[in-house]
Amino acid sequence: MTVAPDSSRTRPVRLGRRSTLALALVSAVGIAAFGWPLLADSASGLAHSNDAPWLFAALLPLLLAVVVATIADSGLDAKAIAMLGVLAAAGAALRPLGAGTAGLEPMFFLMVLAGRVLGPGFGFVLGAVTMFASALLTAGVGPWLPFQMLALGWVTMGAGLLPRPHRLRGRRELLLLAAYGAPAAVAYGIVMNLQGWPYLGGLGTAISFVPGDPVAANLARFTAYWLATSLGWDLPRAALTVVLTLTTGPTLLRALRRATHRAAFTTPVTFTPPSGTPDSPQSPPGPGSGGRPASA
């Protein structure tokens, strides 16, 4: 058996046209789901509706399922599914280690490194599946879970969209991943706060969402809300991601690349006869030969 060389074998999932369109669709709906309080016109019914968060919470799981199914149909073979299961289990196991203390979530650095090596398609699926598995492990299932899955999928996918591994290696690559991981960890906290912030509407505080108010006024309230409630968690998450990326990154990147190299994802496999074997089947021995070759 011979394996033909292929420069894309470190990419378990190659995004085709259908997968790209599905990702673009769910990302567009996700942006609307996270930012509808700021995007909705004050004269529209959506800006004054209490049902909008629940509508998006019901719609996102369906779209995520479509994206995962589309990407799986595009090239998730048995080896890729096995690696997906191992990495998702590792990420889910890492999340409870921080237990939410001061925002310390060690799973983020693993998502960044895995997305870097395995590409944006695999990265998106890995982020979404890892968050779902960790929610089951920590009893964190709720209407916020689809938003968490989408946000972590974006983080992992973004790491896969960074410059190609063969163009940037060593310490420069680690610095690039750290420079990406820190703002990505903070951005995750921002968008997740944006998801929960509209539920504070009607409380009458200086940081509450006010339906129908101008975008600038609501944006100022949200900024104050984020600074007061989330910044103390987002910065430690970013710092831990940077520290773990710089210290354990070289070892994990080598291990991930070695595993994907040996798995030879998306590489066509062909079977050839052993050297010196004729293409046609050998004739059976004639009578009187004793059932052994003549050279015996």
Coordinates of all heavy atoms in Angstrom, one line a residue, residues 85-137:
G85 N -12.9 13.6 18.3 CA -13.4 13.1 19.6 C -12.3 13.3 20.7 O -12.6 13.7 21.8
V86 N -11.1 13.0 20.3 CA -10.0 13.1 21.3 C -9.8 14.5 21.8 O -9.7 14.8 23.0 CB -8.7 12.5 20.7 CG1 -7.5 12.8 21.6 CG2 -8.8 11.0 20.5
L87 N -9.7 15.4 20.8 CA -9.4 16.8 21.1 C -10.6 17.5 21.8 O -10.5 18.3 22.8 CB -9.1 17.6 19.8 CG -7.8 17.3 19.2 CD1 -7.7 18.0 17.9 CD2 -6.6 17.6 20.1
A88 N -11.9 17.1 21.4 CA -13.0 17.6 22.1 C -13.1 17.1 23.6 O -13.4 17.9 24.5 CB -14.3 17.2 21.4
A89 N -12.8 15.9 23.8 CA -12.7 15.3 25.1 C -11.7 16.0 26.0 O -11.9 16.3 27.1 CB -12.5 13.8 25.1
A90 N -10.5 16.3 25.4 CA -9.4 17.0 26.1 C -9.8 18.4 26.5 O -9.6 18.9 27.6 CB -8.1 17.0 25.3
G91 N -10.5 19.1 25.5 CA -10.9 20.4 25.8 C -12.0 20.5 26.8 O -12.0 21.4 27.7
A92 N -12.9 19.5 26.8 CA -14.0 19.5 27.7 C -13.5 19.2 29.1 O -14.0 19.7 30.1 CB -15.0 18.4 27.3
A93 N -12.4 18.3 29.2 CA -11.8 18.0 30.5 C -11.0 19.2 31.1 O -10.9 19.3 32.3 CB -10.9 16.8 30.4
L94 N -10.5 20.1 30.2 CA -9.7 21.2 30.7 C -10.6 22.3 31.2 O -10.2 23.0 32.1 CB -8.9 21.8 29.5 CG -7.6 21.0 29.1 CD1 -7.0 21.7 27.8 CD2 -6.6 21.0 30.2
R95 N -11.8 22.4 30.7 CA -12.6 23.5 31.2 C -12.9 23.5 32.7 O -12.9 24.6 33.3 CB -14.0 23.5 30.4 CG -14.8 24.8 30.6 CD -16.1 24.8 29.8 NE -16.8 26.0 29.9 CZ -18.0 26.2 29.6 NH1 -18.7 25.2 29.1 NH2 -18.6 27.4 29.8
P96 N -13.3 22.4 33.3 CA -13.6 22.4 34.7 C -12.4 22.7 35.6 O -12.6 23.0 36.8 CB -14.2 21.0 35.0 CG -14.6 20.5 33.7 CD -13.6 21.1 32.7
L97 N -11.2 22.6 35.0 CA -10.0 22.9 35.9 C -9.9 24.3 36.4 O -9.5 24.6 37.5 CB -8.7 22.6 35.1 CG -8.5 21.1 34.6 CD1 -7.2 20.9 33.9 CD2 -8.5 20.2 35.9
G98 N -10.4 25.2 35.5 CA -10.5 26.6 36.0 C -11.7 26.9 36.8 O -11.7 27.8 37.7
A99 N -12.8 26.1 36.6 CA -14.0 26.2 37.4 C -14.6 27.6 37.3 O -15.3 28.0 38.2 CB -13.8 25.7 38.8
G100 N -14.2 28.3 36.3 CA -14.7 29.7 36.2 C -14.1 30.7 37.1 O -14.5 31.8 37.2
T101 N -13.1 30.3 37.8 CA -12.4 31.1 38.8 C -11.7 32.3 38.1 O -10.7 32.0 37.3 CB -11.4 30.4 39.7 OG1 -12.1 29.3 40.3 CG2 -10.8 31.3 40.7
A102 N -12.1 33.5 38.3 CA -11.4 34.7 37.7 C -11.3 34.5 36.2 O -10.4 35.1 35.6 CB -10.1 34.9 38.3
G103 N -12.2 33.8 35.6 CA -12.1 33.6 34.1 C -11.0 32.7 33.6 O -10.8 32.7 32.4
L104 N -10.4 32.0 34.5 CA -9.3 31.1 34.0 C -9.9 29.9 33.3 O -10.4 29.0 34.0 CB -8.4 30.7 35.2 CG -7.7 31.8 35.9 CD1 -7.0 31.3 37.1 CD2 -6.8 32.6 35.0
E105 N -9.7 29.8 32.0 CA -10.3 28.7 31.2 C -9.2 28.2 30.3 O -8.9 28.7 29.3 CB -11.5 29.1 30.4 CG -12.7 29.6 31.3 CD -13.9 30.0 30.4 OE1 -14.6 29.1 30.0 OE2 -14.0 31.2 30.2
P106 N -8.5 27.1 30.8 CA -7.3 26.6 30.0 C -7.7 25.9 28.7 O -6.8 25.6 27.9 CB -6.7 25.6 30.9 CG -7.8 25.1 31.9 CD -8.7 26.4 32.0
M107 N -9.0 25.7 28.4 CA -9.4 25.1 27.1 C -9.1 26.0 25.9 O -8.9 25.5 24.8 CB -10.8 24.7 27.1 CG -11.8 25.9 27.1 SD -13.5 25.4 27.3 CE -13.8 24.6 25.7
F108 N -9.0 27.3 26.1 CA -8.8 28.2 25.0 C -7.5 28.0 24.2 O -7.5 28.1 23.0 CB -9.0 29.7 25.4 CG -10.4 30.1 25.5 CD1 -11.2 29.8 26.6 CD2 -11.0 30.8 24.5 CE1 -12.6 30.1 26.6 CE2 -12.3 31.2 24.5 CZ -13.1 30.9 25.6
F109 N -6.4 27.8 25.0 CA -5.1 27.7 24.3 C -5.1 26.4 23.4 O -4.5 26.4 22.3 CB -4.0 27.7 25.3 CG -3.6 26.3 25.8 CD1 -2.5 25.7 25.2 CD2 -4.3 25.6 26.7 CE1 -2.1 24.4 25.6 CE2 -3.9 24.4 27.1 CZ -2.8 23.8 26.6
L110 N -5.8 25.3 23.9 CA -5.8 24.1 23.1 C -6.6 24.3 21.8 O -6.3 23.8 20.7 CB -6.5 23.0 23.9 CG -6.7 21.7 23.2 CD1 -5.3 21.1 22.7 CD2 -7.4 20.6 24.1
M111 N -7.7 25.1 21.9 CA -8.5 25.4 20.7 C -7.7 26.2 19.7 O -7.8 26.0 18.5 CB -9.8 26.2 21.1 CG -10.8 25.4 22.0 SD -11.5 23.9 21.3 CE -10.5 22.6 22.0
V112 N -6.9 27.2 20.2 CA -6.1 28.0 19.3 C -5.1 27.1 18.6 O -4.9 27.2 17.4 CB -5.5 29.1 20.1 CG1 -4.5 29.9 19.2 CG2 -6.5 30.1 20.6
L113 N -4.4 26.3 19.3 CA -3.4 25.4 18.7 C -3.9 24.4 17.7 O -3.4 24.2 16.7 CB -2.6 24.7 19.8 CG -1.8 25.6 20.8 CD1 -1.0 24.8 21.8 CD2 -0.8 26.5 20.0
A114 N -5.1 23.8 18.1 CA -5.7 22.8 17.3 C -6.2 23.5 16.0 O -6.1 22.9 14.9 CB -6.8 22.1 18.0
G115 N -6.8 24.6 16.1 CA -7.3 25.3 14.9 C -6.2 25.7 14.0 O -6.3 25.7 12.8
R116 N -5.1 26.1 14.6 CA -3.9 26.5 13.8 C -3.4 25.3 12.9 O -3.1 25.5 11.7 CB -2.8 26.9 14.7 CG -1.4 27.1 14.1 CD -1.4 28.2 13.1 NE 0.0 28.6 12.7 CZ 0.2 29.4 11.8 NH1 -0.8 30.0 11.1 NH2 1.5 29.7 11.4
V117 N -3.3 24.1 13.5 CA -2.8 23.0 12.8 C -3.8 22.4 11.9 O -3.5 22.0 10.7 CB -2.3 21.9 13.8 CG1 -1.8 20.7 13.1 CG2 -1.1 22.5 14.6
L118 N -5.0 22.3 12.3 CA -6.0 21.5 11.6 C -6.9 22.2 10.7 O -7.8 21.6 10.0 CB -6.9 20.7 12.6 CG -6.0 19.7 13.5 CD1 -6.8 19.2 14.6 CD2 -5.5 18.6 12.6
G119 N -6.8 23.5 10.7 CA -7.6 24.3 9.7 C -8.9 24.9 10.2 O -9.4 24.4 11.2
P120 N -9.5 25.8 9.4 CA -10.7 26.5 9.9 C -11.9 25.6 9.9 O -12.8 25.8 10.8 CB -10.9 27.6 8.9 CG -10.1 27.2 7.6 CD -9.0 26.4 8.2
G121 N -12.1 24.7 8.9 CA -13.3 23.9 8.9 C -13.3 22.9 10.1 O -14.3 22.9 10.8
F122 N -12.2 22.2 10.3 CA -12.1 21.3 11.5 C -12.2 22.2 12.8 O -12.8 21.7 13.8 CB -10.8 20.5 11.4 CG -10.7 19.5 12.5 CD1 -11.1 18.2 12.2 CD2 -10.2 19.8 13.7 CE1 -11.0 17.2 13.2 CE2 -10.0 18.8 14.7 CZ -10.4 17.5 14.4
G123 N -11.6 23.3 12.7 CA -11.6 24.2 13.9 C -13.0 24.6 14.4 O -13.3 24.6 15.6
F124 N -13.8 25.0 13.4 CA -15.1 25.4 13.8 C -15.9 24.3 14.4 O -16.6 24.4 15.5 CB -15.9 25.9 12.6 CG -17.3 26.5 12.9 CD1 -17.5 27.8 13.3 CD2 -18.4 25.6 12.8 CE1 -18.7 28.2 13.6 CE2 -19.7 26.1 13.1 CZ -19.8 27.4 13.5
V125 N -15.9 23.1 13.8 CA -16.6 21.9 14.4 C -16.0 21.6 15.7 O -16.7 21.3 16.7 CB -16.5 20.7 13.4 CG1 -17.1 19.5 14.0 CG2 -17.1 21.1 12.1
L126 N -14.7 21.6 15.9 CA -14.0 21.3 17.1 C -14.5 22.2 18.2 O -14.8 21.8 19.3 CB -12.5 21.3 17.0 CG -11.7 21.1 18.3 CD1 -12.0 19.7 18.9 CD2 -10.2 21.3 18.0
G127 N -14.5 23.5 18.0 CA -14.9 24.5 19.0 C -16.4 24.3 19.4 O -16.7 24.3 20.6
A128 N -17.3 24.1 18.5 CA -18.7 23.9 18.8 C -18.9 22.6 19.6 O -19.6 22.5 20.6 CB -19.5 23.9 17.5
V129 N -18.2 21.5 19.1 CA -18.4 20.2 19.8 C -17.8 20.2 21.2 O -18.3 19.6 22.2 CB -17.8 19.0 18.9 CG1 -17.8 17.7 19.7 CG2 -18.6 18.9 17.6
T130 N -16.6 20.9 21.3 CA -16.0 20.9 22.6 C -16.8 21.7 23.6 O -17.0 21.2 24.8 CB -14.6 21.6 22.5 OG1 -13.8 20.9 21.6 CG2 -13.9 21.7 23.8
M131 N -17.4 22.8 23.2 CA -18.2 23.6 24.2 C -19.5 22.7 24.5 O -19.9 22.8 25.7 CB -18.6 24.9 23.5 CG -19.4 25.8 24.4 SD -18.6 26.2 26.0 CE -17.3 27.3 25.4
F132 N -20.1 22.0 23.6 CA -21.2 21.2 23.9 C -20.9 20.1 24.9 O -21.6 19.9 25.8 CB -21.8 20.6 22.6 CG -23.0 19.7 22.8 CD1 -24.2 20.3 23.0 CD2 -22.9 18.3 22.7 CE1 -25.4 19.5 23.2 CE2 -24.0 17.5 22.9 CZ -25.2 18.1 23.2
A133 N -19.7 19.4 24.6 CA -19.3 18.4 25.6 C -19.0 18.9 26.9 O -19.4 18.3 28.0 CB -18.1 17.6 25.0
S134 N -18.4 20.1 27.0 CA -18.0 20.6 28.3 C -19.3 21.1 29.1 O -19.3 21.0 30.3 CB -17.1 21.8 28.1 OG -17.7 22.9 27.5
A135 N -20.3 21.5 28.3 CA -21.6 21.9 29.0 C -22.2 20.7 29.6 O -22.8 20.8 30.7 CB -22.5 22.6 28.0
L136 N -22.2 19.6 28.9 CA -22.7 18.3 29.5 C -22.0 17.9 30.7 O -22.5 17.4 31.7 CB -22.7 17.2 28.4 CG -23.6 17.4 27.2 CD1 -23.5 16.2 26.3 CD2 -25.1 17.6 27.6
L137 N -20.6 18.1 30.7 CA -19.8 17.7 31.8 C -20.0 18.6 33.0 O -19.9 18.1 34.1 CB -18.3 17.7 31.3 CG -17.3 17.2 32.3 CD1 -17.5 15.7 32.5 CD2 -15.9 17.4 31.7

